[in-house]
Amino acid sequence: MSENFGDWEYDKTCRTEFGEVGYHEVLVMSGAENGGLNYGENRLYNNPFDTDTESELVEGSEYGSSDDPDEFQPDDIQENLHNGVEGNNAGVAENNAGVAENNAGVAENNAGVAENMDYDDGVPHEMEFEPVIPGAQMTRDQAILILAAYSLRHHMTSVAMQDLLSFLKLLQPGALPSTKFLFDKELDKIENSRYIFCCLKCGARVPDGSTHCVVDECRHEFNKKESLCKGNFCIYIPIVQQLKDFFENHEYTTFPKNDKKETDYLSHVCNSDYYLKQLREGKISQDDFTLIFNVDGVPLFSASKASMTPIQCALLEVKNTRSHVFMCGMWFRAEKPNIDVLLEPFVDKCCTLSETGVQWTNSLGVQVVTKVHPFVCTSDAVARPVLRNCQQFNGYFGCDWCLQRGRYVPKEGGNVMCYPYQTDVVRRVKEGYEQDALRAVREGNLVNGVKGPSLLSLLPTFDIVESFVPDYMHSVLLGVIQFLVNLWLDSKSGGKAYHIDHDDLAKVNRRLLKIKAPSGIARAPRSLEERKHWKATEWRNFLLYYSIPVLTGVLPRPHIQHLFLLSNSINLLLQDKIPRDSLVNIDLALCKFVIGMEDLYGEENCTFNVHQLTHLVGSVRNYGPISNVSAFMFESNNGRLKKMVSGTHHIPSQIAGKFILWRNLPVMAKKCQIQQARITVLNLYEHLLTTKRKVRISVHINDGSVALGRPKTRDLDAGELLALDTLFGVIDVRIHKVDFYKKVLFDGIVYQSSSYCAGYKRDNSVVLTNNGTYGRITEMVVVEVCICGNELCECDPQPECIVFLKELTVRSSRLFTDRQVGITKSRFPATVTETNRTIAFRLSDVHRKCVLMRIVPSLYAAPIIKTEEGD
């Protein structure tokens, strides 16, 4: 079973007669950024062969010790390959004799191993397997799996793969496929992708086997070779087989479903309004799954207009769903895709999945049928109207969720479409859209911005209005906040109250670059002068954590308070639990922000992205926190797809083939029993699947924490003893043992002491506890404490991890309150003051890490948000 806790992942798969002592821990982390520790994931591997694997992994080479005499070494290969044909043949014969003798020894050894094999519950501790070559540590199938993972990890071209296979053939002829063609035949690929061609003249779909365009007005001759060369086609990858392989071969956990009842909190899609409505109406059942999908263009080359447009989807009920993204189709061409041709096979298969489901076999060998329903589509404001077959945002009725009529406003010598705030705006509904689409086809004109029907209207559980969401990554991060920053720094804004001149910009940059973000934040702060290169995550960090403190004293007070409305609202909508009764005030705050845009910046700056803020809360009611339905996971997968391109020819085929292989690696791993392989083989396979590298770890504590590094021992001082007395509620607690650590891992999060963080660019020492106390970690101790009060104590106390904090007291600030929209107290960020008071907490009582920002004369602490969005 695999559990994901933020940056860390635990694989728990082994049970022995000794409980969980069969686990062997490997702590892996991402590159040591800036000389500091930026932890990635932690895997606990089961080793069925060795009993002392941890020391081997820590003290040996990257993949373990190489002292095994049976391990295959290239130096064992016969050296004299150029001594003539006769000498070579003689050497081969002699070598074959040696191999036969060696094989006899191996067989005898295997017999002895089988005779002396220990069993536990009928399962052997040592497995017999046929090595790919005598003395090797892996089977032939495992070797092919390793090669496939190696080719994906290093983005190998076909030529590079062929060269590698030729080299391996020289080392050991016949052991592995000798050509790329034979290697591909060995791979257990899922159902092949399918090409769907379009007419070069009119763009209509050309049916399979047809020689001419089927449109009567066109009838252009179809040439398959020409269409392939010009890229006038799309590739469809069967979603049914991908889902079947996922259910059968991937370990996953799902969010709990609550029997059609509303809860006080919105935390995931399973307790959202739209999901519960579908359950109550019987359109979906408790055992069904739902899909979120994305369609968006991705440029591949900076020197070309060519781009790919993939259809990607993921299961909403699955935790850590960003690790399980499916690709159903892809268009590659310089021109925009024919959206109907791209969507048709996807819609067809989704209707089948919704009606009949996908049949798969569970771990007990039982046939299961699971229905999967298309539920949500997240796309940017450019792709969304194409999918809905509607007018874009620069049209009069460009909003996807309401019928507010935009208006053109003069700006910088031209006109821009603006959407100033309006009350009593009529919302769009599915029935109204369908009527407008039919009327638009009948009259040949736009009706309320609708051009005609969309293929997505055919999806059974998909609402053509409500199932589209205003993706906050594009609308807020790459939209509103980026637009505001550019507006503040624009030289054309000179003379306006909100303009930031060169001197103030230098001040803001100095403040930004002094911030030491914790490792839970993907990217360290960068100068605003580099904002053109900022990623969406950097804009998220700026909006949520840095913007208010670094801009205080630079922007006028009304503009700071206006920005606070947006920052605070997005913070609240990203929480893992959102109280339903708080949504009204959040909606009021966002509406007030939209109104303030016109008052502070002018009507011409009330863009469509600003208008989308009025629909964010409705999306949260329907589908939970905005991180549930953001495009982050799909944008992240786009980066993987781009790396699969290793040449300029047949790009769609390259991406489709490598994506299918990547998705099918778990299937291959299961068939070749990679989890039962030797630990060195398993470690190599896991290494090829991740960019993390290994470091040493230390002690696992009973409370679930992991103490990292070597402990130090000293006596507790008076302040620490008093803090322990307060924590345990006992005067003079009896301490049996105490060890001090600088780094501790708990629930997938790394905490470090302030003294350790002083020399690094990351600060993991500032925390917020469950009772609302802010503090800075001074020490972390693993203690065995007895509170029985018996002087003749013979207790055997269990160790637990305690953190000592220097408290940061929160002081109120009128700048961060707005009673008009219900904000009477905010911690985004909190204004704090340092104290010398030492307090003690159990590590399990720490709620979140914080960003500490010292902006003279104030000190701010902003709790970081834990999401699965990724970078």
Side-chain angles (χ1 to χ4, degrees), residues 11-34:
D11 289 342
K12 301 184 177 181
T13 54
C14 176
R15 294 291 183 271
T16 71
E17 60 182 340
F18 305 104
E20 296 185 2
V21 298
Y23 293 129
H24 293 271
E25 301 91 356
V26 179
L27 177 63
V28 289
M29 70 173 185
S30 59
E33 179 179 349
N34 300 316

Short mmCIF file of all heavy atoms in Angstrom, two decimals, residues 11-34:
data_model
loop_
_atom_site.label_atom_id
_atom_site.label_comp_id
_atom_site.label_asym_id
_atom_site.label_seq_id
_atom_site.Cartn_x
_atom_site.Cartn_y
_atom_site.Cartn_z
N ASP A 11 5.93 3.31 0.91
CA ASP A 11 5.42 2.08 0.32
C ASP A 11 5.45 1.00 1.39
O ASP A 11 6.53 0.64 1.86
CB ASP A 11 6.27 1.64 -0.87
CG ASP A 11 6.06 2.55 -2.05
OD1 ASP A 11 5.06 3.26 -2.04
OD2 ASP A 11 6.91 2.53 -2.96
N LYS A 12 4.29 0.52 1.78
CA LYS A 12 4.19 -0.48 2.84
C LYS A 12 3.65 -1.76 2.23
O LYS A 12 2.47 -1.85 1.95
CB LYS A 12 3.28 0.02 3.95
CG LYS A 12 3.79 1.32 4.57
CD LYS A 12 2.95 1.74 5.74
CE LYS A 12 3.50 2.99 6.41
NZ LYS A 12 2.72 3.41 7.56
N THR A 13 4.52 -2.73 2.04
CA THR A 13 4.09 -3.92 1.31
C THR A 13 4.45 -5.22 2.00
O THR A 13 4.05 -6.27 1.55
CB THR A 13 4.71 -3.94 -0.09
OG1 THR A 13 6.12 -3.81 0.03
CG2 THR A 13 4.18 -2.79 -0.94
N CYS A 14 5.22 -5.18 3.07
CA CYS A 14 5.75 -6.43 3.63
C CYS A 14 5.29 -6.64 5.06
O CYS A 14 5.26 -5.71 5.86
CB CYS A 14 7.28 -6.40 3.58
SG CYS A 14 8.05 -7.83 4.35
N ARG A 15 4.92 -7.86 5.39
CA ARG A 15 4.63 -8.24 6.76
C ARG A 15 5.39 -9.52 7.06
O ARG A 15 5.32 -10.48 6.27
CB ARG A 15 3.13 -8.47 6.98
CG ARG A 15 2.29 -7.20 6.82
CD ARG A 15 2.57 -6.22 7.96
NE ARG A 15 1.72 -5.04 7.85
CZ ARG A 15 2.05 -3.96 7.16
NH1 ARG A 15 3.19 -3.94 6.50
NH2 ARG A 15 1.24 -2.92 7.14
N THR A 16 6.11 -9.56 8.16
CA THR A 16 6.86 -10.76 8.52
C THR A 16 6.41 -11.20 9.90
O THR A 16 5.62 -10.53 10.58
CB THR A 16 8.37 -10.49 8.55
OG1 THR A 16 8.67 -9.66 9.68
CG2 THR A 16 8.82 -9.78 7.28
N GLU A 17 6.96 -12.31 10.36
CA GLU A 17 6.58 -12.81 11.68
C GLU A 17 7.08 -11.88 12.78
O GLU A 17 6.66 -11.98 13.93
CB GLU A 17 7.17 -14.20 11.88
CG GLU A 17 8.70 -14.25 11.79
CD GLU A 17 9.23 -15.65 11.95
OE1 GLU A 17 8.48 -16.48 12.50
OE2 GLU A 17 10.36 -15.92 11.53
N PHE A 18 7.96 -10.96 12.42
CA PHE A 18 8.48 -9.99 13.39
C PHE A 18 7.75 -8.66 13.28
O PHE A 18 8.24 -7.65 13.74
CB PHE A 18 9.97 -9.77 13.17
CG PHE A 18 10.76 -11.04 13.21
CD1 PHE A 18 11.24 -11.60 12.04
CD2 PHE A 18 11.00 -11.68 14.41
CE1 PHE A 18 11.96 -12.76 12.07
CE2 PHE A 18 11.73 -12.86 14.44
CZ PHE A 18 12.20 -13.41 13.27
N GLY A 19 6.58 -8.60 12.66
CA GLY A 19 5.86 -7.35 12.49
C GLY A 19 6.38 -6.60 11.29
O GLY A 19 6.48 -7.15 10.21
N GLU A 20 6.77 -5.33 11.47
CA GLU A 20 7.19 -4.49 10.37
C GLU A 20 8.71 -4.33 10.30
O GLU A 20 9.19 -3.42 9.67
CB GLU A 20 6.53 -3.12 10.48
CG GLU A 20 5.03 -3.19 10.35
CD GLU A 20 4.40 -1.81 10.34
OE1 GLU A 20 5.15 -0.82 10.38
OE2 GLU A 20 3.18 -1.74 10.29
N VAL A 21 9.43 -5.21 10.96
CA VAL A 21 10.88 -5.06 10.94
C VAL A 21 11.47 -5.41 9.59
O VAL A 21 12.64 -5.19 9.34
CB VAL A 21 11.54 -5.94 12.02
CG1 VAL A 21 11.08 -5.54 13.39
CG2 VAL A 21 11.20 -7.42 11.76
N GLY A 22 10.68 -6.00 8.71
CA GLY A 22 11.17 -6.32 7.38
C GLY A 22 11.30 -5.12 6.48
O GLY A 22 11.74 -5.23 5.35
N TYR A 23 10.88 -3.94 6.93
CA TYR A 23 11.01 -2.75 6.11
C TYR A 23 12.45 -2.27 6.09
O TYR A 23 13.14 -2.27 7.09
CB TYR A 23 10.14 -1.61 6.65
CG TYR A 23 8.68 -1.88 6.55
CD1 TYR A 23 7.86 -1.74 7.65
CD2 TYR A 23 8.12 -2.28 5.34
CE1 TYR A 23 6.51 -1.98 7.56
CE2 TYR A 23 6.79 -2.54 5.25
CZ TYR A 23 5.97 -2.39 6.37
OH TYR A 23 4.64 -2.65 6.27
N HIS A 24 12.88 -1.87 4.91
CA HIS A 24 14.21 -1.26 4.78
C HIS A 24 14.01 0.13 4.23
O HIS A 24 13.34 0.32 3.23
CB HIS A 24 15.09 -2.10 3.88
CG HIS A 24 15.42 -3.42 4.49
ND1 HIS A 24 16.50 -3.62 5.31
CD2 HIS A 24 14.75 -4.60 4.44
CE1 HIS A 24 16.52 -4.89 5.72
NE2 HIS A 24 15.47 -5.50 5.21
N GLU A 25 14.55 1.11 4.92
CA GLU A 25 14.23 2.49 4.62
C GLU A 25 15.30 3.11 3.75
O GLU A 25 16.49 2.93 3.97
CB GLU A 25 14.10 3.31 5.90
CG GLU A 25 13.03 2.78 6.85
CD GLU A 25 13.57 1.78 7.85
OE1 GLU A 25 14.75 1.45 7.74
OE2 GLU A 25 12.81 1.34 8.71
N VAL A 26 14.82 3.85 2.75
CA VAL A 26 15.72 4.64 1.92
C VAL A 26 15.14 6.03 1.86
O VAL A 26 14.00 6.20 1.44
CB VAL A 26 15.84 4.07 0.49
CG1 VAL A 26 16.75 4.95 -0.34
CG2 VAL A 26 16.41 2.66 0.55
N LEU A 27 15.86 7.00 2.30
CA LEU A 27 15.40 8.38 2.25
C LEU A 27 15.99 9.04 1.02
O LEU A 27 17.19 9.03 0.84
CB LEU A 27 15.85 9.13 3.50
CG LEU A 27 15.49 10.61 3.56
CD1 LEU A 27 14.00 10.77 3.57
CD2 LEU A 27 16.09 11.24 4.79
N VAL A 28 15.13 9.54 0.17
CA VAL A 28 15.60 10.16 -1.06
C VAL A 28 15.21 11.61 -1.06
O VAL A 28 14.18 11.98 -0.52
CB VAL A 28 15.03 9.45 -2.30
CG1 VAL A 28 15.63 8.09 -2.48
CG2 VAL A 28 13.53 9.35 -2.22
N MET A 29 16.02 12.41 -1.66
CA MET A 29 15.70 13.83 -1.70
C MET A 29 16.06 14.38 -3.05
O MET A 29 16.86 13.81 -3.78
CB MET A 29 16.43 14.60 -0.61
CG MET A 29 17.94 14.71 -0.84
SD MET A 29 18.70 15.78 0.36
CE MET A 29 20.37 15.81 -0.28
N SER A 30 15.45 15.49 -3.39
CA SER A 30 15.79 16.14 -4.65
C SER A 30 17.14 16.82 -4.49
O SER A 30 17.70 16.88 -3.41
CB SER A 30 14.70 17.14 -5.02
OG SER A 30 14.57 18.10 -4.01
N GLY A 31 17.66 17.33 -5.58
CA GLY A 31 19.00 17.89 -5.59
C GLY A 31 19.24 18.86 -4.45
O GLY A 31 18.36 19.61 -4.04
N ALA A 32 20.41 18.87 -3.90
CA ALA A 32 20.72 19.72 -2.76
C ALA A 32 20.78 21.16 -3.21
O ALA A 32 21.83 21.72 -3.49
CB ALA A 32 22.04 19.29 -2.14
N GLU A 33 19.59 21.76 -3.31
CA GLU A 33 19.49 23.11 -3.86
C GLU A 33 20.17 24.11 -2.94
O GLU A 33 19.90 24.17 -1.76
CB GLU A 33 18.01 23.46 -4.03
CG GLU A 33 17.80 24.85 -4.58
CD GLU A 33 16.31 25.14 -4.74
OE1 GLU A 33 15.52 24.20 -4.62
OE2 GLU A 33 16.01 26.30 -4.97
N ASN A 34 21.05 24.87 -3.50
CA ASN A 34 21.75 25.93 -2.79
C ASN A 34 22.50 25.40 -1.57
O ASN A 34 22.68 26.09 -0.59
CB ASN A 34 20.76 27.01 -2.33
CG ASN A 34 20.04 27.64 -3.49
OD1 ASN A 34 20.67 27.94 -4.50
ND2 ASN A 34 18.74 27.82 -3.37
#
